[in-house]
Amino acid sequence: MSNELLDIKKLETFFYTRAGIAKAVNGISLSVDKGEIVGIVGESGSGKSVTGFSIMGLVDPPGEIAGGSIKFKGEEIIGQTEEEWRSFRGAKVSMIFQDPMMTLNPVLRIDTQMIEAIRAHEKVSKKEARRRCVETLAMVGIPSPAERIKSYPHQFSGGMRQRVAIAIGLLNKPDLIIADEPTTALDVTIQGQILSEMQTLCRKTGMALIWITHDLTVIAGLAHKVAVMYAGKIIESGNVQEVLDEPLHPYTHGLIGSVPSRNKRGQPLYQIPGMTPSLINIPEGCSFRMRCPHADEICMKEPDETISDNGRMVRCHHPL
Amino acid sequence: MLAFLIRRISQSVMVLLVMSVLVFVGVFYIGNPIDILIAPDATPAEYARAVKELGLDKPMLDQYWIFLKDAVHGDLGNSFVYNEPALKLILQRMPATMELAVTAMLMAVFIGIPLGMLAGIKHDTMLGRSIMRFSILGFSLPTFWVGLMFIILFSVQLGWLPSGGRGTTVELLGVPVSFLTWDGIQHLILPAMNLALFKTSLAIRLSRAGVQENLQMDYVKFAKAKGLSNTRIIGLHVMKNIMIPVITVLGMEFGGLIAFAVVTETIFSWPGMGKLVIDSIGVLDRPVIVAYLLITVTMFIIINLLVDIIYSILDPRVRLGDHN
Ligand SMILES: Nc1ncnc2c1ncn2[C@@H]1O[C@H](COP(=O)(O)OP(=O)(O)OP(=O)(O)O)[C@@H](O)[C@H]1O
Ligand code: SF4
Ligand SMILES: [Mg+2]
């Protein structure tokens, strides 16, 4: 029996816009084991959210999954019927979004929005559902949850709202939670609290977690594995500590260089030159070519994935 | 809440006062009613007596002052034509107008909102586009023309529905109404549809825009991510969000519906206050015109106040007094 929960192979999600085809996710492969915490890191627009939405079957038109496979517990989920998707979402995999101010419905009470999430998947009485909701709110650190559950979203602070959203994600005890930058909109202390709470929750419940962020430091203390995305591709992945200590891809190296740290205090931060390429006209060859200090003629050819014995993957002709 | 009410009521009194001055000056200058009211062969003595009786010999300011003093006591003067209190005449006709306006509003709500939501959900289908075309027509065709076409089509050509009057009425709580008899309903359909057309188009537009805007929102995507069915997302989550602005705007428009009933009532000879005021303008029956306008403005004010209160009940984020 394999320990593998999610297995993404050569996934392609394209947006067919008027300006052309935006290859937001361009052939990524990624696997998540049961109980594993995986970080996806990348600049804005690199395709992190679209990856999450693809797993949830929530890519809105003009976007579409154009190819590849996503297996959940060994079964293909791409091409499920709408009803299969519905019963999959929120029950087997949950997703939490970036902006806690926007994810809850402003005109419905919290209890309405929580109880319906349980009853969408299970035939339980409202009373029993409410009991479970209160319990879950307590678990994510909402004080006096039995009273607070009757509030409207605007009566909560941003941090509390994000906790409510996380609680909603946890309600049906999914095997996997996809957290799409859930703490970027919050201040640093709250960020830290939520992060460590999530980690504890995963350990306690055996739930797997995909944590999407553009902030490498967040991943460092949290995840087992990290995948670095650039222009719709995963350009490097592997054990978090190894990737951070010894990045193989020039882009990852640049990312680490641009993070302030104790032993580099006083030195200027490294800035990756240039900008993310437009996903509509990705240059031929390595997509990082224009910004890479090591680029040469070979890089005019698209590099393949190289996987080493210890499971580290890199897409570069001249790994560091 | 109390402070809010007091503020609103004192504002309303100011509005009514200003309004009464404007109306008074207005009717003063549209013509002298005596020329219409009195027989053309009257002697100068008779003429002078009639002028004195109606109080038209006094300066405008004095006339206004008398009017205001009486108005405070609930007396808006007697009609020159019927020689009955203007207020009473209008209140007698009010139920007919209200019945027409309420029916038209219900049509707009129960036809316009579902059609608009449908058009928003299926915006790039034939159905969605057809609904939008209908609403464009409803917006741009003049009410009186549509009314005439209704009569030509449904009454004259097809002979399905009567073209005027209220039909048989029965008393409901002492007020005569048409909608409780089959004959009355038949009389009500055409004028109500005519009056409802514009507001239905408005309801379609508002709900369609609301649905399209809301479907883009994160909370809808999050609701999908919870595994909710589309029926519940549209029927509860989106619906509750669009109802707030749609009901608010339609509520505000209800006053306009009463005012616009003038046109429809005239076309369909519906015996409401709109028809009364048009007739009164024809004979320069000043007290009735002034009373009608003041009553309509008062109704506008009351409706807007009610809408504000309902809005604050519907939207949990709003507390009365926070907004103004
Ligand atoms: N609705 C859409 N229409 C067209 N293109 C889209 C749409 N949504 C996403 N894309 C394309 O997909 C790319 C990746 O978007 P995505 O939201 O996944 O980025 P991200 O990595 O999550 O960035 P961020 O850190 O800003 O959230 C965008 O740059 C854009 O080109
Ligand atoms: S393949 Fe070439 S251009 Fe791309 S990252 Fe490696 S060295 Fe740089
Ligand atoms: Mg994103």
Side-chain angles (χ1 to χ4, degrees):
Chain A
M1 185 57 209
S2 104
N3 211 23
E4 198 169 68
L5 185 66
L6 185 75
D7 185 25
I8 305 176
K9 285 249 155 65
K10 299 207 159 52
L11 176 69
E12 293 179 327
T13 308
F14 297 165
F15 285 85
Y16 299 89
T17 66
R18 239 171 265 150
I21 302 175
K23 300 182 171 174
V25 172
N26 195 359
I28 68 163
S29 300
L30 178 74
S31 73
V32 180
D33 286 344
K34 285 175 186 151
E36 190 177 32
I37 301 183
V38 177
I40 299 183
V41 191
E43 287 171 311
S44 185
S46 53
K48 306 178 302 287
S49 299
V50 174
T51 303
F53 291 138
S54 303
I55 301 169
M56 296 294 287
L58 285 177
V59 180
D60 289 327
E64 204 178 276
I65 295 185
S69 120
I70 305 176
K71 287 206 170 98
F72 185 80
K73 291 187 168 168
E75 281 186 40
E76 182 62 51
I77 57 173
I78 294 177
Q80 289 186 109
T81 64
E82 197 38 50
E83 176 53 27
E84 283 168 335
W85 271 121
R86 193 201 61 70
S87 58
F88 173 85
R89 294 179 197 132
K92 296 183 176 140
V93 180
S94 292
M95 185 159 173
I96 299 155
F97 300 160
Q98 177 161 0
D99 190 351
M101 299 302 180
M102 307 298 291
T103 44
L104 298 172
N105 189 331
V107 300
L108 293 178
R109 275 175 22 182
I110 302 294
D111 49 2
T112 317
Q113 301 191 52
M114 292 190 85
I115 291 170
E116 66 180 2
I118 295 183
R119 285 164 48 104
H121 300 287
E122 256 180 272
K123 279 204 162 72
V124 289
S125 70
K126 279 197 178 156
K127 208 173 140 211
E128 166 62 14
R130 174 181 297 272
R131 193 192 57 73
R132 258 166 65 187
C133 296
V134 171
E135 206 178 274
T136 317
L137 283 180
M139 196 157 82
V140 296
I142 304 262
S144 46
E147 288 86 59
R148 298 290 272 150
I149 196 173
K150 294 191 191 114
S151 323
Y152 285 95
H154 68 94
Q155 291 165 309
F156 283 97
S157 68
M160 283 296 162
R161 274 194 233 190
Q162 197 57 294
R163 284 188 176 153
V164 171
I166 291 170
I168 291 176
L170 293 171
L171 280 174
N172 295 296
K173 305 201 165 49
D175 301 300
L176 171 67
I177 287 205
I178 303 169
D180 187 0
E181 314 204 35
T183 56
T184 15
L186 307 175
D187 70 60
V188 186
T189 16
I190 312 271
Q191 244 184 64
Q193 281 172 15
I194 290 187
L195 224 60
S196 75
E197 281 162 18
M198 285 301 279
Q199 205 171 16
T200 322
L201 275 171
C202 285
R203 218 172 282 142
K204 258 201 319 223
T205 58
M207 183 178 69
L209 176 66
I210 294 181
W211 192 278
I212 296 174
T213 177
H214 55 252
D215 186 355
L216 258 174
T217 46
V218 168
I219 297 293
L222 175 78
H224 306 119
K225 194 160 90 183
V226 62
V228 183
M229 276 190 85
Y230 186 79
K233 294 200 170 87
I234 295 180
I235 47 94
E236 171 159 18
S237 68
N239 174 285
V240 173
Q241 228 40 62
E242 291 175 24
V243 172
L244 288 180
D245 290 348
E246 247 182 273
L248 295 176
H249 197 283
Y251 175 65
T252 320
H253 186 79
L255 271 186
I256 295 168
S258 61
V259 170
S261 78
R262 223 170 276 128
N263 42 26
K264 285 190 294 190
R265 188 171 294 168
Q267 295 173 28
L269 286 176
Y270 176 71
Q271 278 267 337
I272 304 174
M275 275 170 30
T276 329
S278 142
L279 293 177
I280 292 173
N281 295 310
I282 303 175
E284 226 174 292
C286 173
S287 43
F288 190 53
R289 216 179 62 215
M290 305 302 187
R291 302 167 71 184
C292 180
H294 309 283
D296 59 15
E297 302 88 66
I298 309 171
C299 305
M300 298 290 285
K301 227 179 102 249
E302 160 98 67
D304 281 330
E305 298 187 351
T306 326
I307 304 173
S308 62
D309 298 336
N310 57 357
R312 285 196 61 180
M313 184 284 275
V314 65
R315 247 178 205 275
C316 175
H317 292 298
H318 310 292
L320 303 171
Chain B
M1 175 81 182
L2 190 66
F4 167 80
L5 277 180
I6 291 172
R7 196 174 67 229
R8 281 294 289 265
I9 289 170
S10 52
Q11 281 169 2
S12 307
V13 171
M14 280 310 294
V15 169
L16 274 175
L17 212 61
V18 172
M19 170 73 197
S20 71
V21 174
L22 291 178
V23 168
F24 215 83
V25 174
V27 293
F28 209 86
Y29 282 108
I30 53 174
N32 194 344
I34 209 73
D35 301 328
I36 295 175
L37 291 170
I38 205 159
D41 53 356
T43 63
E46 282 173 324
Y47 187 91
R49 193 160 47 82
V51 167
K52 201 171 168 55
E53 233 167 53
L54 294 176
L56 295 173
D57 53 338
K58 299 193 179 70
M60 182 168 79
L61 207 61
D62 288 3
Q63 287 189 33
Y64 179 70
W65 184 241
I66 296 169
F67 161 79
L68 205 60
K69 266 196 307 197
D70 290 346
V72 172
H73 298 107
D75 175 8
L76 295 180
N78 278 9
S79 159
F80 295 162
V81 179
Y82 301 92
N83 201 24
E84 275 190 76
L87 191 60
K88 186 179 145 214
L89 280 174
I90 287 166
L91 291 181
Q92 271 171 358
R93 309 291 193 96
M94 196 187 277
T97 298
M98 290 306 280
E99 182 175 25
L100 186 61
V102 168
T103 312
M105 188 49 96
L106 291 177
M107 282 183 175
V109 167
F110 287 101
I111 297 172
I113 295 179
L115 279 185
M117 290 183 72
L118 201 61
I121 298 162
K122 305 202 174 290
H123 60 98
D124 49 5
T125 65
M126 266 298 286
L127 179 67
R129 280 191 290 267
S130 310
I131 294 172
M132 286 324 285
R133 282 198 200 106
F134 168 80
S135 89
I136 291 171
L137 280 184
F139 260 128
S140 34
L141 296 178
T143 304
F144 75 91
W145 185 83
V146 175
L148 293 177
M149 288 303 121
F150 277 0
I151 293 179
I152 291 175
L153 183 65
F154 294 106
S155 308
V156 180
Q157 298 284 333
L158 298 168
W160 288 352
L161 293 164
S163 65
R166 273 188 97 176
T168 318
T169 57
V170 290
E171 299 244 316
L172 178 72
L173 306 170
V175 177
V177 293
S178 299
F179 75 96
L180 290 178
T181 67
W182 177 232
D183 182 54
I185 291 176
Q186 286 181 313
H187 281 81
L188 185 57
I189 291 177
L190 283 187
M193 275 190 354
N194 184 217
L195 189 57
L197 189 60
F198 191 86
K199 304 297 172 203
T200 309
S201 305
L202 182 68
I204 289 178
R205 300 240 134 188
L206 289 171
S207 342
R208 185 184 95 124
V211 164
Q212 288 201 306
E213 189 192 316
N214 275 277
L215 283 181
Q216 305 290 320
M217 306 262 251
D218 263 6
Y219 81 79
V220 167
K221 206 160 195 169
F222 190 63
K224 282 188 192 157
K226 292 196 291 192
L228 300 190
S229 66
N230 275 332
T231 326
R232 185 164 175 101
I233 293 175
I234 301 280
L236 179 72
H237 285 250
V238 172
M239 179 96 142
K240 196 128 193 231
N241 275 284
I242 68 162
M243 278 319 233
I244 294 168
V246 172
I247 291 292
T248 309
V249 173
L250 286 182
M252 300 283 183
E253 293 283 324
F254 187 66
L257 211 52
I258 293 169
F260 266 105
V262 172
V263 179
T264 300
E265 284 177 8
T266 312
I267 298 169
F268 290 91
S269 347
W270 187 264
M273 21 182 228
K275 184 152 185 337
L276 173 72
V277 80
I278 290 292
D279 296 344
S280 303
I281 290 172
V283 294
L284 295 179
D285 194 348
R286 282 185 190 171
V288 177
I289 302 173
V290 172
Y292 169 83
L293 289 172
L294 287 180
I295 286 176
T296 317
V297 170
T298 310
M299 285 171 75
F300 255 97
I301 290 170
I302 293 173
I303 289 166
N304 284 2
L305 183 63
L306 288 180
V307 169
D308 274 352
I309 293 172
I310 292 172
Y311 177 68
S312 76
I313 294 170
L314 280 179
D315 192 334
R317 290 162 298 186
V318 176
R319 289 281 156 273
L320 280 183
D322 291 359
H323 72 118
N324 194 354

